[in-house]
Amino acid sequence: MSGVDAAAYVMRLHLPTPAHKLVLLAIATRCDQNYSAFPGRALIAGEALVSEERARTLLRELRRDGYLSARQRYRSNGSKTTNRYFVHGPWDQWGGADQPFTEISHYQDHDDRYAAVHDGEFIPRPTPKAGVAHAPCPDQDSSAPGAGVADNPSQGSPATPSLGVTPDPSITGHQEPTRRNHLPDVRRTSAGGNSAAFTTAGAASRTAGATRKASKAISTGPRKRPPGWDQVAAALPRDVQPTRPGGRLAPTLVRAICTALTGVPGPESGTYQIPPRTPEQLIARINRRWHHARGPERAADDYTGPDPIRRPVGYVADLLTAHECPDPSCEDGLILGTDRPCAACRARRAEQQQAEQARTAVEDRLTREAELACAHDEHQTAAAREEQRVRECLAAAGHWGELLDHEVETHMRRWRLGRPDPKDTPHA
């Protein structure tokens, strides 16, 4: 029921745009018992009615604001596959921040999830009007006195035929046994006989169902913490430490530390989706990815710069388990134990630099073309104004006809030589 619970909670949230809610719902409806799912970006974009680029932006904003956490997954050959997304909510103290998300104003004013609702009495059926016959017998003559005056037994009163009229089965409600009505109705039989038999059978079936459910219930204890867990937990940033003395660490961080220390095995023997790390390596990772990346400054409430950290708990959980390189021995671009640069990371950075250079070149070219088009339009406008001014001056001086056109053309030729069109000027 985690998917149902997560989807119901997402419907209550007050998100920036409908697209944010649709993207979050696409993930929440697929959540497992750990409130996690791994749909592809194309599927999320299709269900949210947005493009894949827009879906990527929305996912990044939802992660930034703490509604989601993501972990990278890898195939057996080392290639990347869809991310595993964790939906945060009341089940994990909103990602361990203990700060509920903003909900729709209706739920902020009054929450009727657990309001007691009492049903009233059954609405009585309409009573028949006096002197009106209901369901008359078709075999009797309607002109006979007293024919068809019996009420329908479904209205609550028994059928009472008039004197001299034989009760007809069609009036009293009696029916011959058929394929549908040959079974006794437990609701209308007396307390005995078939009714008792059916009641006993129902109780037995409910008891058997409860026994089966009880046998399926599995009680699980807390996850065993690996060696070095306390050392890593003590090195976490102060922004994610418990605010109260003796308080517990956020469940998201507990799970992230255990995963980082033990790793996530891959589909084949000896492979890892997330490689394990020692406590010393994780502490060094926290220093690099949090303190060197200006984490305390970006997590401050008064920070107005780029890439703010809205939910430090989710951010720290991601940095503990994030591993983008397919080489398990790579740690932020360096091979563990050798301090040798990672070839895969170097190739990936080279591709990113080439893509960035190509994007910058395209943007510069488009900018130059836009500036050139704007300058050309301004030059054409200035030329038209100059031609209109010269023509009006010469016409006021008495020039007209071919002479006027020749003098205007001669003047504009000299004017264009002194003010060349930017579109015709060669550019480097």
Side-chain angles (χ1 to χ4, degrees):
M1 295 296 290
S2 297
V4 177
D5 298 338
Y9 180 71
V10 169
M11 290 299 297
R12 299 165 56 95
L13 297 180
H14 180 72
L15 298 177
T17 63
H20 288 81
K21 179 167 288 190
L22 288 175
V23 168
L24 194 56
L25 273 176
I27 301 174
T29 52
R30 294 175 171 83
C31 281
D32 53 15
Q33 296 299 324
N34 295 324
Y35 294 92
S36 66
F38 43 91
R41 190 182 301 119
L43 178 60
I44 296 175
E47 292 189 351
L49 304 178
V50 296
S51 63
E52 290 193 32
E53 293 297 329
R54 177 59 176 162
R56 180 185 302 174
T57 302
L58 294 172
L59 288 171
R60 183 169 60 250
E61 293 176 356
L62 290 172
R63 290 176 56 191
R64 179 197 64 191
D65 295 339
Y67 298 102
L68 287 176
S69 294
R71 292 182 183 175
Q72 182 65 59
R73 300 193 306 143
Y74 297 94
R75 299 185 179 91
S76 58
N77 59 0
S79 61
K80 292 183 180 181
T81 181
T82 57
N83 294 336
R84 178 179 291 274
Y85 298 98
F86 292 85
V87 180
H88 298 312
W91 44 85
D92 61 352
Q93 288 81 38
W94 298 273
D98 290 331
Q99 297 179 3
F101 302 125
T102 304
E103 297 186 356
I104 302 174
S105 58
H106 172 80
Y107 297 102
Q108 296 174 356
D109 297 337
H110 55 84
D111 193 347
D112 54 357
R113 286 180 299 173
Y114 307 104
V117 179
H118 303 283
D119 294 337
E121 299 294 335
F122 282 102
I123 301 176
R125 297 181 178 181
T127 56
K129 296 181 180 180
V132 179
H134 294 274
C137 178
D139 296 336
Q140 295 180 353
D141 188 4
S142 60
S143 60
V149 297
D151 289 333
N152 194 327
S154 63
Q155 300 296 334
S157 59
T160 306
S162 302
L163 295 178
V165 180
T166 304
D168 189 85
S170 63
I171 300 177
T172 59
H174 174 75
Q175 298 179 359
E176 295 295 332
T178 61
R179 188 175 181 180
R180 288 189 175 182
N181 64 1
H182 71 282
L183 294 176
D185 192 349
V186 182
R187 298 169 298 179
R188 296 186 180 182
T189 54
S190 59
N194 292 334
S195 176
F198 277 90
T199 304
T200 306
S205 63
R206 288 192 297 270
T207 304
T211 304
R212 287 194 299 268
K213 291 182 179 179
S215 62
K216 292 183 179 179
I218 300 175
S219 60
T220 58
R223 181 175 179 178
K224 184 178 180 180
R225 297 178 180 180
W229 188 94
D230 295 332
Q231 186 178 356
V232 177
L236 290 177
R238 185 170 50 186
D239 302 74
V240 298
Q241 294 288 351
T243 56
R244 299 184 302 272
R248 296 182 179 180
L249 204 62
T252 304
L253 294 175
V254 174
R255 184 169 57 246
I257 296 175
C258 294
T259 301
L261 289 173
T262 59
V264 177
E268 298 181 359
S269 178
T271 62
Y272 286 93
Q273 296 181 1
I274 298 179
R277 290 292 186 259
T278 63
E280 293 77 11
Q281 293 171 349
L282 288 181
I283 293 174
R285 177 183 292 182
I286 294 172
N287 291 331
R288 285 193 309 270
R289 298 182 179 181
W290 176 259
H291 297 288
H292 294 176
R294 300 186 300 112
E297 178 183 353
R298 291 159 51 198
D301 296 336
D302 55 350
Y303 178 74
T304 57
D307 197 14
I309 300 176
R310 302 300 183 189
R311 297 277 175 173
V313 172
Y315 185 87
V316 173
D318 285 340
L319 70 85
L320 282 171
T321 57
H323 187 79
E324 298 181 355
C325 183
D327 188 355
S329 60
C330 174
E331 181 68 17
D332 292 344
L334 297 176
I335 303 300
L336 291 175
T338 62
D339 291 336
R340 182 167 45 87
C342 177
C345 292
R346 183 187 302 173
R348 185 172 66 251
R349 282 195 297 268
E351 293 178 357
Q352 293 176 353
Q353 290 177 359
Q354 292 177 359
E356 183 67 21
Q357 291 174 0
R359 184 183 65 83
T360 304
V362 171
E363 291 180 352
D364 293 343
R365 180 175 58 82
L366 294 177
T367 302
R368 288 196 303 269
E369 291 179 357
E371 293 176 353
L372 188 60
C374 182
H376 173 70
D377 293 341
E378 292 179 356
H379 181 270
Q380 292 296 103
T381 302
R385 291 177 180 175
E386 180 66 17
E387 182 178 354
Q388 180 68 19
R389 185 188 66 80
V390 172
R391 186 177 294 276
E392 292 177 354
C393 292
L394 293 177
H399 298 270
W400 56 278
E402 294 182 358
L403 177 61
L404 176 62
D405 294 339
H406 174 72
E407 292 181 351
V408 170
E409 184 178 355
T410 302
H411 174 79
M412 292 306 299
R413 190 181 298 113
R414 291 194 301 268
W415 186 87
R416 288 190 176 90
L417 288 175
R419 300 174 179 84
D421 190 348
K423 192 175 181 179
D424 301 331
T425 304
H427 295 275

